[in-house]
Amino acid sequence: LRDFLLVYNRMTELCFRRCVCNLNYRLLTGREESCLDSCASKLVHSNHRLMRSYVALMPGILQRRMADSASQDPALPAALPDPQVAPGTG
């Protein structure tokens, strides 16, 4: 949740600085609103792509870490249970 809020705050600040150029009016102009929509959409899309890549790479990274840990300390189990299998079912 904290990471999500940090990303959201950075996105808000970046888009505001990029798109809002006149603070003399209470409401956004049409141009500012369009710019903010485009900016936020682009950043959300980029974040989704980044997260898809992260999710795809993470199992391999975890397996390498487990293998490195196992090679350094032979007392550790070679593999952890599959988190997708419910306990007692597999």
Side-chain angles (χ1 to χ4, degrees), residues 36-51:
L36 287 169
D37 285 342
S38 175
C39 179
S41 176
K42 186 185 306 182
L43 291 174
V44 166
H45 180 70
S46 297
N47 189 35
H48 285 177
R49 288 180 61 195
L50 180 67
M51 291 309 294

Side-chain angles (χ1 to χ4, degrees), residues 50-64:
L50 180 67
M51 291 309 294
R52 276 195 304 267
S53 297
Y54 175 77
V55 167
L57 292 174
M58 203 56 199
I61 292 170
L62 289 175
Q63 283 186 338
R64 273 186 257 137

Side-chain angles (χ1 to χ4, degrees), residues 53-84:
S53 297
Y54 175 77
V55 167
L57 292 174
M58 203 56 199
I61 292 170
L62 289 175
Q63 283 186 338
R64 273 186 257 137
R65 282 186 188 168
M66 286 177 15
D68 290 345
S69 295
S71 68
Q72 291 175 0
D73 188 359
L76 293 175
L80 295 176
D82 188 355
Q84 295 177 351

Side-chain angles (χ1 to χ4, degrees), residues 23 35 55 75:
L23 298 175
C35 179
V55 167

